[in-house]
């Protein structure tokens, strides 16, 4: 297939070329005289499963022939080795082994990290160990780093890094990354001695990982070995290639990985040969993008090389820039264009690392019944089985709350695959009303049994009680025991009362993936050793978070959503680069808790900028397609956004080349985008205008009208009569929240009870300690939130001196103090009962009354009392009319609101007006 050469055989395709099609066309052209059986011996190694399927699909178009072997590079980790290499350990088992050692370290030194971070730390250590195996870096190299200026942090990190040192022992069972490198090294050694004579091709990989680069080196030395690089920038001048020597400054350039490969192969840019004669969709745009992405030290070349680009309107033909006002507007514009593509019958791909944007686009497409083919799938933890398993896990280690119980009972998989699910939902609804009105904050089996006695719900409650039976005290036990109990409980929840099986828990794609993940965890559970219930819940949640549910054939065949990895070597008629804002594309590098970038560079590990460089390469390839959209939102939910650095470079370059029609080209790009944004906005507008409803004016029959009010409801009757109508006529009551919160009414009730006890017990108003003792007792009993309780107590303590000082005067002039006194009076014309519960009435010489009402909020002013807040005025009238049986008719000397708050204001009622 290939002619003999003295140098490594490295080919490439430029950006904007359909890589899979070009790969097959180039192979067919070079193998025109190759015997048919030689095709079956040809091996092609690609880097993704989607690329594997795409190449196979191109071959399937015909003509009929024997097909080459199309394999994944990562499959090498499972291949037999020319030298004895143990089978790779599963990733799950390795992470559980690490979590065991991390847990022991945290037990010995709990100040190093919180216990809740156990699995995250183990996962991070496993990722570092995989990277060290792949790049051929040993713990000894890490320990030898110069950390003189980072000694404090390094001492803490080294305690964790020492955990992974034993796993580099050759006697240990290797993980997949280590075994892949070992197999590649053994294969390279074997090929150096007895090279194979059939074609071996590595296609579509950039060699960014150490083991992959090592394999590519071995393949390049074979007589019929070849490397085919995707998206190689043939327009980049040699002098620019020469500047990309230092990884610390050039790692974020899209072509740096190729520069690194050329250094490994001892090649120059001129030695990279075009794989096929296929030309990019728009060579002029390739040159424009190449110039815009020049490394920062040489961007002065824009002025020199920019005029050589020619008419930029030709280069930007087919390029659309969408700058929407918000992420929602961006998603709606993208969805509208994808809908048009589906109608035209062309393939359209949305490429974005922003999963929020892709979900919004998917939701917008649902308007037209279009389900895109999303390569990323759904996170397993967010799927129905994943959510239910997490809800059930919470029952194991956390106190049961009403909210947690109802979340579980309302889950669509609970009591699933049964004909009586309607009865289950009705019972759940009734239970919710009970828990909101009178139920305990933490339901128990006994409280549920008491509720069941009021209706015929015994079988259902017995089933529920079996699920909520008190668990033994939390203690450590084998992970497999925790998991077995957890899954058994989940299956009982899904099956329902007196049923076998697991309901719908393990059905559909999400259920099968959840079952596979749980089985893998059970197989490796012995590696974790004994764990506590809390550690188990954290570990199980972390494992679910790594899973993904994919429906390969569930979406529209022409409407595609790709991640940047899947898009590298694929093409579509319309390419949409979504979410082109800084922080989304490129994504901000994840923080490394172990090594900074300088230490990584010295150790030979990958730099954080590697991901930025790969994203830049993905962008360069995608933006070079025939018809391309670049979309971004000018503003996110809380702030203005910053355009992606690559969009900024492109627009700045275009804006600085007026002689090449750059500003006009940029204006046309934006005009094309604005057209779709405006159409999407118009589509979102309602077609028909609905006239506003008339102002409500309820007039219930006289017989249905309320005949009793409290003095505090009069204010509501004056200011908001509809609230009275809803409550007293329609009998609508606001239900309590499932999770009580420390709100203002609760604080007011507690303080009222404190003052009532203080007065009723005839405490000395100068006895501050007695007052605070009563306050402490009430807050401890009625406010179960320690932080809020401390805050409210502190606020009361700051105001208590003023209250007690005024109380000395109030008690000095009174001979009796009546608290929480109830009274009522019947008014005629029409008949109406007015009720009252007075906070406090003091008697002077047994004949004259003074009325007080406590206010923990704002105290009504005298004008407000005259207009609508007539509580004290009505209380005074009721006292004089003898509405309080235990008091009898009394003359009212005065009435006042006593503010128990920061202001401590006392406002008298205008009794004389």
């Amino acid at each position: 297939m290939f002619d003999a050469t003295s140098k490594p055989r490295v080919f490439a395709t430029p950006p904007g070329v359909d890589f899979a099609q070009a790969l097959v066309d180039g192979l067919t052209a070079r193998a025109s005289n190759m015997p048919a059986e030689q095709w079956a011996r040809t091996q092609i190694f690609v880097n993704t499963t989607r690329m594997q399927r795409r190449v196979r699909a191109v071959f399937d178009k015909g003509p009929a022939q024997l097909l080459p072997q199309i394999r994944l590079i990562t499959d090498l980790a499972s291949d037999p080795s020319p030298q004895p290499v143990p089978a790779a350990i599963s990733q799950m088992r390795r992470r559980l082994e690490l979590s065991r050692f991390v847990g022991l370290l945290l037990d010995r030194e709990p100040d190093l990290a919180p216990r809740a971070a156990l699995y995250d730390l183990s996962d991070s250590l496993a990722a570092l160990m995989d990277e060290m195996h792949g790049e051929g870096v040993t713990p000894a190299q890490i320990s030898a780093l110069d950390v003189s200026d980072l000694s404090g942090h390094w001492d803490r990190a080294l305690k964790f890094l020492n955990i992974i040192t034993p796993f580099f022992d050759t006697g240990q069972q290797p993980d997949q990354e280590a075994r892949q490198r070992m197999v590649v090294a053994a294969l390279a050694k074997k090929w150096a001695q007895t090279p194979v004579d059939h074609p071996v091709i590595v296609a579509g990989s950039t060699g960014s990982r150490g083991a992959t680069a090592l394999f590519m080196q071995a393949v390049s030395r074979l007589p019929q070995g070849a490397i085919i690089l995707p998206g190689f920038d043939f327009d980049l001048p040699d002098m620019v290639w020469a500047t990309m020597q230092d990884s610390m400054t050039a790692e974020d350039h899209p072509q740096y990985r190729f520069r690194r490969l050329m250094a490994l192969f001892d090649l120059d840019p001129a030695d990279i040969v075009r794989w096929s004669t296929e030309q990019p969709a728009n060579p002029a745009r390739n040159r424009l993008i190449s110039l815009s992405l020049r490394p920062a030290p040489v961007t002065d070349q824009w002025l020199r090389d920019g005029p050589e680009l020619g008419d930029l309107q030709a280069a930007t033909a087919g390029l659309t820039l969408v700058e929407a006002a918000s992420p929602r507007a961006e998603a709606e514009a993208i969805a509208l264009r994808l809908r048009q593509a589906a109608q035209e019958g062309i393939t359209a791909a949305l490429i974005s690392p922003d999963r929020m944007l892709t979900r919004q686009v998917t939701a917008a497409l649902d308007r037209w019944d279009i389900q895109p083919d999303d390569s990323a799938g759904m996170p397993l933890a967010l799927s129905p089985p994943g959510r239910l398993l997490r809800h059930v896990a919470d029952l194991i280690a956390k106190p049961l709350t009403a909210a947690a119980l109802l979340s579980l009972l309302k889950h669509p998989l609970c009591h699933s695959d049964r004909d009586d699910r309607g009865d289950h939902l009705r019972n759940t609804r009734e239970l919710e009303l009970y828990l909101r009105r009178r139920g305990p904050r933490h339901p128990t089996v006994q409280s549920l049994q008491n509720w069941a006695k009021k209706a015929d719900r015994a079988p259902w409650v017995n089933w529920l009680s079996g699920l909520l039976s008190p668990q033994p005290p939390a203690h450590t036990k084998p992970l497999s025991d925790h998991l077995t109990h957890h899954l058994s409980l989940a299956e009982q929840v899904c099956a329902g009362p007196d049923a076998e099986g697991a309901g719908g828990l393990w059905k559909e794609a999400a259920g099968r993936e959840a079952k596979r993940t749980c089985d893998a965890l059970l197989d490796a559970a012995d590696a974790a050793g004994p764990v506590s219930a809390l550690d188990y819940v954290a570990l199980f949640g972390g494992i679910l978070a790594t899973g993904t549910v994919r429906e390969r054939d569930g979406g529209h065949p022409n409407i595609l959503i790709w991640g940047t990895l899947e898009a590298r070597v694929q093409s579509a008629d319309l390419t949409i680069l979504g979410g082109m804002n800084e922080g989304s594309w490129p994504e901000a590098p994840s923080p490394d808790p172990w090594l900074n970038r300088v230490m990584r560079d010295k150790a030979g590990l990958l730099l954080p900028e590697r991901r930025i460089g790969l994203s830049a390469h993905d962008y360069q390839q995608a933006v070079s397609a025939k018809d391309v959209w670049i979309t971004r939102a000018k503003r996110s939910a809380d702030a203005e956004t910053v355009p992606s650095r690559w969009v900024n470079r492109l627009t700045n370059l275009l804006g600085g080349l007026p002689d090449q029609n750059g500003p006009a080209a940029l204006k046309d790009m934006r005009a094309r985008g604005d057209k779709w944004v405006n159409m999407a906005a118009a589509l979102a507008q309602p077609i028909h205008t609905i006239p506003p409803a008339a102002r409500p004016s309820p007039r219930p029959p006289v017989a249905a009208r309320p005949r009793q009010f409290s003095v505090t409801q009069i204010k509501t009757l004056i200011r908001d009569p509809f609230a009275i109508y809803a409550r007293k006529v329609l009998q609508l009551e606001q239900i309590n929240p499932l999770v009580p919160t420390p709100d203002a009414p609760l604080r007011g009730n507690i303080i009222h009870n404190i003052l009532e006890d203080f007065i009723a017990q005839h405490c000395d108003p100068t006895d501050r300690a007695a007052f605070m003792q009563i306050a402490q007792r009430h807050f401890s009993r009625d406010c179960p939130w320690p932080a809020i309780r401390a805050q409210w107590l502190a606020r009361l303590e700051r105001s208590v001196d003023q209250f007690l000082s005024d109380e000395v005067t109030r008690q000095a002039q009174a001979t009796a103090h009546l608290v929480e006194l109830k009274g009522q009076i019947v008014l005629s014309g029409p008949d109406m009962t007015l009720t009252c519960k007075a906070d406090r009435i003091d008697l002077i010489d047994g004949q004259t009354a003074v009325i007080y009402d406590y206010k923990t909020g704002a105290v009504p002013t005298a004008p407000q009392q005259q207009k609508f807040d007539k509580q004290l005025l009505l209380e005074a009238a009721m006292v004089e009319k003898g509405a309080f049986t235990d008091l009898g008719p009394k003359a009212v000397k005065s009435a006042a609101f006593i503010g128990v708050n920061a202001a401590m204001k006392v406002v008298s009622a205008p009794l004389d007006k």
Side-chain angles (χ1 to χ4, degrees), residues 297-411:
V298 295
T299 48
D300 59 301
Q301 296 173 1
W302 286 8
L303 297 174
R304 187 194 67 194
D305 297 345
E308 299 177 3
L309 294 176
D311 185 1
L312 292 176
Q313 287 186 318
T316 58
L319 193 59
T320 301
L321 179 58
V322 176
E323 294 179 308
S326 66
R328 177 177 178 178
E330 179 187 6
E332 289 176 344
I334 293 172
L336 187 60
R337 184 64 185 93
L338 291 176
R339 187 257 187 195
Q340 179 70 16
Q343 184 175 356
E344 294 171 353
I346 63 174
T347 57
L350 168 60
I351 306 170
S352 179
D354 187 349
R355 293 301 299 162
M356 180 60 71
L357 174 65
T358 59
R359 283 194 285 267
Q360 287 178 315
V361 171
T362 301
L365 284 171
D366 191 57
R367 171 187 298 177
W368 301 290
D369 237 5
I370 297 175
Q371 177 68 33
D373 181 4
D374 191 346
S375 66
M378 175 193 296
L380 177 58
L382 300 182
S383 67
R387 289 180 185 274
L388 183 128
L389 289 171
R390 288 191 291 125
H391 289 326
V392 175
D394 288 340
L395 298 180
I396 298 175
K398 299 179 182 178
L400 180 66
T401 63
L405 175 61
L406 292 173
S407 295
L408 183 64
L409 293 176
K410 290 183 178 183
H411 193 283

Side-chain angles (χ1 to χ4, degrees), residues 208-490:
S208 59
R209 299 301 297 263
T212 303
L214 188 64
F215 179 65
M216 294 169 73
Q217 281 183 281
V219 169
S220 69
R221 299 189 189 103
L222 293 175
Q224 289 294 303
I227 309 298
I228 308 174
L229 304 176
F232 186 85
D233 190 353
F234 288 99
D235 298 310
L236 204 61
D238 290 343
M239 62 176 296
V240 178
W241 285 109
T243 62
M244 294 191 293
Q245 301 287 349
D246 185 6
S247 62
M248 295 290 287
T249 58
E251 180 79 48
D252 60 350
H253 192 272
Q255 299 293 311
Y256 172 75
R257 270 131 298 282
F258 297 148
R259 181 68 187 86
R260 182 169 170 268
L261 273 181
M262 287 188 285
L264 289 175
F265 295 158
D266 194 20
L267 296 177
D268 295 323
D271 297 324
I272 308 299
V273 182
R274 285 182 179 265
W275 171 249
S276 68
T277 58
E278 187 173 351
Q279 293 298 313
N282 191 332
R285 191 191 305 162
N286 280 24
R287 292 192 294 271
L288 171 65
I289 298 299
S290 175
L291 181 59
S292 72
L293 294 174
R294 294 278 175 91
V298 295
T299 48
D300 59 301
Q301 296 173 1
W302 286 8
L303 297 174
R304 187 194 67 194
D305 297 345
E308 299 177 3
L309 294 176
D311 185 1
L312 292 176
Q313 287 186 318
T316 58
L319 193 59
T320 301
L321 179 58
V322 176
E323 294 179 308
S326 66
R328 177 177 178 178
E330 179 187 6
E332 289 176 344
I334 293 172
L336 187 60
R337 184 64 185 93
L338 291 176
R339 187 257 187 195
Q340 179 70 16
Q343 184 175 356
E344 294 171 353
I346 63 174
T347 57
L350 168 60
I351 306 170
S352 179
D354 187 349
R355 293 301 299 162
M356 180 60 71
L357 174 65
T358 59
R359 283 194 285 267
Q360 287 178 315
V361 171
T362 301
L365 284 171
D366 191 57
R367 171 187 298 177
W368 301 290
D369 237 5
I370 297 175
Q371 177 68 33
D373 181 4
D374 191 346
S375 66
M378 175 193 296
L380 177 58
L382 300 182
S383 67
R387 289 180 185 274
L388 183 128
L389 289 171
R390 288 191 291 125
H391 289 326
V392 175
D394 288 340
L395 298 180
I396 298 175
K398 299 179 182 178
L400 180 66
T401 63
L405 175 61
L406 292 173
S407 295
L408 183 64
L409 293 176
K410 290 183 178 183
H411 193 283
L413 289 177
C414 179
H415 209 282
S416 55
D417 285 356
R418 292 173 62 100
D419 295 335
D420 59 345
R421 179 165 167 78
D423 295 334
H424 164 76
L425 293 178
R426 280 189 290 274
N427 290 332
T428 300
R429 208 156 36 242
E430 292 298 324
L431 176 60
E432 178 179 1
L433 292 175
Y434 167 74
L435 291 175
R436 285 181 181 273
R437 289 169 180 161
R438 293 177 296 277
R441 184 183 178 195
H442 296 282
T444 61
V445 171
Q446 185 60 49
S447 65
L448 294 176
Q449 296 287 357
N450 292 339
W451 169 72
K453 293 176 182 178
K454 301 177 182 179
D456 186 18
R457 302 188 183 94
W460 186 79
V461 171
N462 289 337
W463 162 74
L464 186 57
S465 300
L467 301 177
L468 305 180
S469 297
Q471 301 297 323
H475 63 279
T476 59
K477 60 182 180 180
L479 175 62
S480 58
D481 291 354
H482 281 299
L483 182 60
T484 302
H485 172 65
H486 178 193
L487 298 185
S488 173
L489 201 59

Side-chain angles (χ1 to χ4, degrees), residues 302 582 642-654:
W302 286 8
E582 201 69 17
V642 177
S644 170
R645 62 193 70 181
W646 308 312
V647 176
N648 259 339
R649 280 170 166 257
L650 179 60
T651 56
N652 289 341
L653 179 58
L654 289 171

Side-chain angles (χ1 to χ4, degrees), residues 489-500:
L489 201 59
E491 290 178 348
Q492 293 177 51
V493 168
C494 294
D498 304 324
E500 300 293 332

